[in-house]
Amino acid sequence: MCGIVGYIGNKEKKEFLLNGLKELEYRGYDSAGIAVLKDGKIDSFRALGKLENLKEKTKNFFSDGFGLGIGHTRWATHGKPTEANAHPHSGDFSYIIHNGIIENYKELKDNLIAEGVHFLSQTDSEVIVHLFEKFIKEGFSSKEAFKKTISLLKGAFAILLITKNDKESIYFAKNAVPLIIGKSKDGEIFFSSSDAPLIGHCNEVIYLEDKSFGWANKDRIKLFVNKDKKEPQFVPLTIDKTYAQKDGYRFFMEKEIYEQANVAGETLMGRVCDNEIVLDELNELDLDKINEIKICACGTSYHAALTSAYLFERIGRIKCSVEIASEFRYKEPLLDQKILFIVISQSGETADTLEALKMAKKAGLQTLAICNVDNSSIVRLSDATLLTRAGIEKGVASTKAFATQILTLWMLALFIGQKFRKISKETLNLEIKALLHIPTVLQVKNSLHEKIRRLSKRYLHGHGFFFIGRDIFYPLALEGALKLKEISYLHAEGYPAGEMKHGPIALADSKLFTIALMPKNILYEKIKSNVEELSARDATILAISPLEFDLADDFIKTSMQDHPMSEFFEMMIITQILALEISIRLGNDVDMPRNLAKSVTVE
Ligand code: F6R
């Protein structure tokens, strides 16, 4: 996800910009750039890949003495990660950096092209600088031109703009994407998309509200909110960097649970268009040659794979099997070249998954990675990759990576159904509608979190947890149990609800906690009778369902959703928060649970 920094003052601008971007590195990016306006001249540098590359490009550039600087790390959304698509974007005399999405960029761009403007990138962001310069050329002042530009933009944005037309000011705008302005005791002005780059440089900040815009120079900040003039309100800046990176959440895992609504939007972006699924990344594959899918993964990624197998067969109408990578490696599998071999990995470095991928390649299969880390070993080795775009995941217990894997796999199942004409237009439309609804479903409600927090105190002991579900809710039960055991160190198992009576029900007594996933859209009556059987044996039951269920000891009511995947994501959030709150009550280090590592690069 993109990062923004800016600076007005006398110090070496390159230094603050590069160090600031370094602080934002954890958000993930694929290119970076800076622009500095000093003595009426703008110098701009952009580089693909790591910040080191930008550092190298700017090593002979110095900029002390009064001036303005802006810097950006880009996580590609519109347009591939290339130097031309990296920010800052320029017109004839101005430069901008932008985070977010300009929803109406296409229409604005078409109008500008019709007026003779030449675009250099494939990004949505570039329209901003050309719009601004168009208004200047029409005779408006920089301030009026900026105001007019912002009023035409629809979507989410944090924008910084510098122009030779005004050598003193940085122009800024913010809507639905964070932007902070800071002030030092020496009168310097700073901008950033999060607290971390500002710590140590300034002591007071303004957290801009949505629909804010304005301009700042070394003497004053002119701020408008909703077009009305507003006096800037500074508040003290926190000085704890890790706290700043956590945006006020207690743990990275908690922050990542809350981020899911946002990153889900990133995952879908550009892939769901005009009632069809567009996955250009698959152009590298010859899908006409495949008639079967095999997926290999470990841990949480394996649970995403299991979930997707239901989707591939039910809506993509293609045969799909799933294997744990460490098992697959040694079973001497029969691999037919009509199989599309998919590996799923958050890190892209998991040793067993990587080895399984090598085996498939050796057997001549077409391979596809579903991965969160671009340029990782798994991405480099696969024939094609669908990046999940979850941003960097810091908590060892995976949350947002899982959510984005499921979304990506769901889109892939639809894409395959669409390609082989196995899915009707009506069903595809309904599925797309449901897909687009998921970012809303993933928004965590305070009341829900508080309810789970209160409930969690009753689940700190007992001799074990069974998470049960059917269909896609069975892999979700596996994932819920994995989350809980990873960070609480309590014993938990996920089980297909229909299997309980074939053995595990022998364990049922009041100290057996059953977390029952009871969606209304899939096999409700079946799971209900499975849970009744457990209740009759006095198991303690926490039912999660939109439908009232009297036999439960505890009940979390979910909303009435029309699509099972909406219920899936809502219940996923509940199991994640339950694990988090139990673990916090037990005093565990949620982000770094004992014995676990974020990336498992050994067998
Ligand atoms: C669980 C978790 C692990 C990983 C597993 C695979 O919360 O994070 O189970 O899912 O180690 O890792 P990746 O997805 O990086 O291949």
Side-chain angles (χ1 to χ4, degrees):
M1 282 170 292
C2 309
I4 274 189
V5 287
Y7 175 78
I8 303 176
N10 291 321
K11 287 199 196 119
E12 174 55 69
K13 276 142 284 298
K14 173 178 86 173
E15 211 161 284
F16 169 74
L17 297 176
L18 292 179
N19 291 341
L21 292 178
K22 185 104 197 121
E23 292 291 344
L24 298 174
E25 242 185 344
Y26 71 96
R27 299 153 73 105
Y29 65 103
D30 39 52
S31 59
I34 62 169
V36 173
L37 168 57
K38 186 173 171 296
D39 304 328
K41 180 170 168 267
I42 299 184
D43 289 288
S44 173
F45 304 86
R46 299 185 292 183
L48 255 190
K50 293 283 148 210
L51 276 172
E52 290 310 312
N53 303 341
L54 184 61
K55 229 177 204 168
E56 181 58 29
K57 278 200 166 173
T58 52
K59 72 173 183 231
N60 298 320
F61 169 71
F62 301 98
S63 61
D64 59 347
F66 179 79
L68 321 169
I70 55 177
H72 188 266
T73 44
R74 173 172 188 258
W75 174 273
T77 51
H78 288 84
K80 295 196 163 54
T82 59
E83 198 171 307
N85 287 337
H87 300 216
H89 292 293
S90 59
D92 294 336
F93 47 86
S94 318
Y95 285 71
I96 60 110
I97 52 178
H98 161 232
N99 284 359
I101 299 157
I102 305 299
E103 281 168 21
N104 58 336
Y105 86 98
K106 185 88 185 56
E107 171 195 330
L108 296 170
K109 186 170 174 174
D110 288 347
N111 291 342
L112 287 164
I113 290 174
E115 290 173 25
V117 174
H118 179 56
F119 277 78
L120 299 170
S121 76
Q122 302 161 307
T123 65
D124 52 335
S125 314
E126 198 185 336
V127 291
I128 305 167
V129 72
H130 293 307
L131 267 182
F132 173 77
E133 293 200 346
K134 165 187 142 81
F135 292 126
I136 299 272
K137 287 171 192 163
E138 286 173 5
F140 291 95
S141 69
S142 301
K143 294 178 174 82
E144 283 304 318
F146 190 68
K147 237 186 216 179
K148 283 178 86 64
T149 302
I150 299 308
S151 71
L152 292 178
L153 304 180
K154 291 205 182 102
F157 45 80
I159 296 167
L160 295 184
L161 176 147
I162 54 175
T163 175
K164 286 186 196 167
N165 233 32
D166 178 352
K167 301 173 189 73
E168 307 275 309
S169 313
I170 292 187
Y171 291 74
F172 59 87
K174 183 254 188 248
N175 190 41
V177 174
L179 185 62
I180 306 169
I181 307 181
K183 186 169 79 174
S184 78
K185 287 197 181 104
D186 306 331
E188 299 155 297
I189 300 290
F190 299 84
F191 293 88
S192 175
S193 42
S194 109
D195 281 342
L198 303 177
I199 293 171
H201 294 281
C202 47
N203 35 7
E204 285 188 315
V205 289
I206 312 171
Y207 295 94
L208 290 173
E209 295 170 51
D210 284 344
K211 299 194 166 47
S212 296
F213 70 93
W215 37 90
N217 59 36
K218 67 180 180 358
D219 302 317
R220 64 184 304 216
I221 295 168
K222 190 80 177 253
L223 176 64
F224 297 84
V225 179
N226 271 328
K227 300 196 182 119
D228 299 326
K229 224 162 45 179
K230 186 155 182 198
E231 216 30 59
Q233 296 293 333
F234 281 92
V235 294
L237 174 69
T238 168
I239 49 162
D240 177 337
K241 270 197 186 172
T242 322
Y243 179 79
Q245 284 191 349
K246 286 188 205 150
D247 287 343
Y249 293 100
R250 295 165 291 176
F251 293 96
F252 280 109
M253 181 188 176
E254 186 177 31
K255 175 175 173 229
E256 286 157 6
I257 291 172
Y258 276 75
E259 264 172 18
Q260 291 178 116
N262 256 338
V263 295
E266 304 255 350
T267 307
L268 301 178
M269 204 173 316
R271 291 167 167 168
V272 183
C273 307
D274 299 334
N275 286 332
E276 61 168 347
I277 305 292
V278 179
L279 298 176
D280 288 340
E281 299 96 319
L282 303 190
N283 292 347
E284 307 299 319
L285 302 173
D286 185 354
L287 291 178
D288 290 326
K289 293 211 172 103
I290 65 137
N291 64 6
E292 188 179 334
I293 287 175
K294 187 179 273 301
I295 315 182
C296 257
C298 304
T300 289
S301 299
Y302 169 70
H303 298 153
L306 285 178
T307 310
S308 73
Y310 291 88
L311 305 179
F312 280 120
E313 300 215 342
R314 183 172 293 137
I315 52 183
R317 303 308 289 161
I318 186 162
K319 202 165 144 197
C320 178
S321 59
V322 177
E323 311 223 20
I324 289 181
S326 55
E327 286 300 312
F328 173 81
R329 285 178 65 180
Y330 300 102
K331 69 185 279 204
E332 298 179 27
L334 294 174
L335 294 175
D336 181 323
Q337 300 206 344
K338 290 202 177 109
I339 294 175
L340 171 64
F341 193 83
I342 301 181
V343 281
I344 308 177
S345 175
Q346 187 286 127
S347 62
E349 302 297 344
T350 302
D352 284 318
T353 311
L354 184 60
E355 284 309 312
L357 174 62
K358 286 183 187 159
M359 284 168 64
K361 287 217 74 146
K362 199 156 164 221
L365 271 58
Q366 296 191 67
T367 57
L368 169 66
I370 310 283
C371 190
N372 195 35
V373 181
D374 201 2
N375 290 319
S376 56
S377 305
I378 284 177
V379 167
R380 289 199 308 271
L381 196 65
S382 302
D383 298 325
T385 299
L386 286 171
L387 289 173
T388 47
R389 305 179 184 160
I392 288 189
E393 191 177 60
K394 282 204 159 188
V396 165
S398 190
T399 51
K400 61 177 182 167
F402 177 69
T404 54
Q405 285 168 349
I406 301 275
L407 277 175
T408 309
L409 289 155
W410 182 11
M411 283 189 284
L412 181 60
L414 290 170
F415 181 85
I416 295 219
Q418 175 187 290
K419 175 164 177 57
F420 295 116
R421 298 183 202 290
K422 294 284 168 76
I423 182 167
S424 71
K425 198 84 204 126
E426 297 77 55
T427 311
L428 183 62
N429 287 346
L430 285 175
E431 291 290 312
I432 285 180
K433 194 164 155 236
L435 257 176
L436 295 173
H437 181 51
I438 300 304
T440 310
V441 172
L442 285 171
Q443 270 157 13
V444 183
K445 291 190 198 72
N446 285 342
S447 54
L448 174 74
H449 193 147
E450 182 49 23
K451 166 149 194 166
I452 301 172
R453 195 189 66 73
R454 277 189 289 107
L455 264 183
S456 65
K457 63 175 168 288
R458 297 196 220 163
Y459 292 89
L460 306 178
H461 57 285
H463 60 69
F465 286 76
F466 267 89
F467 284 68
I468 59 170
R470 300 185 74 124
D471 204 278
I472 50 173
F473 294 85
Y474 158 49
L476 184 60
L478 291 173
E479 176 59 11
L482 179 65
K483 279 304 74 94
L484 183 65
K485 70 182 125 192
E486 279 182 292
I487 59 174
S488 72
Y489 318 140
L490 296 171
H491 178 242
E493 274 188 66
Y495 233 79
E499 269 292 294
M500 291 300 282
K501 60 166 89 62
H502 298 287
I505 203 165
L507 292 169
D509 65 16
S510 61
K511 294 200 190 99
L512 178 81
F513 294 144
T514 302
I515 315 293
L517 307 179
M518 305 173 70
K520 85 173 174 48
N521 289 300
I522 290 192
L523 300 173
Y524 178 75
E525 290 305 326
K526 301 277 175 205
I527 178 118
K528 188 165 164 249
S529 61
N530 298 143
V531 181
E532 280 164 2
E533 285 154 15
L534 282 157
S535 169
R537 272 113 192 136
D538 208 24
T540 296
I541 290 159
L542 165 56
I544 304 174
S545 180
L547 305 174
E548 297 294 340
F549 181 65
D550 290 342
L551 295 177
D553 298 83
D554 287 315
F555 183 64
I556 298 178
K557 192 169 169 58
T558 52
S559 51
M560 285 289 175
Q561 300 284 354
D562 293 337
H563 197 284
M565 290 306 284
S566 293
E567 299 198 275
F568 179 97
F569 281 106
E570 198 173 339
M571 291 189 187
M572 176 198 77
I573 295 253
I574 292 170
T575 56
Q576 291 169 342
I577 296 179
L578 182 67
L580 173 86
E581 290 299 338
I582 290 178
S583 158
I584 292 175
R585 281 191 191 271
L586 292 172
N588 299 343
D589 183 343
V590 170
D591 285 333
M592 270 184 260
R594 69 184 186 204
N595 308 337
L596 296 177
K598 186 68 191 157
S599 176
V600 186
T601 51
V602 290
E603 190 176 346

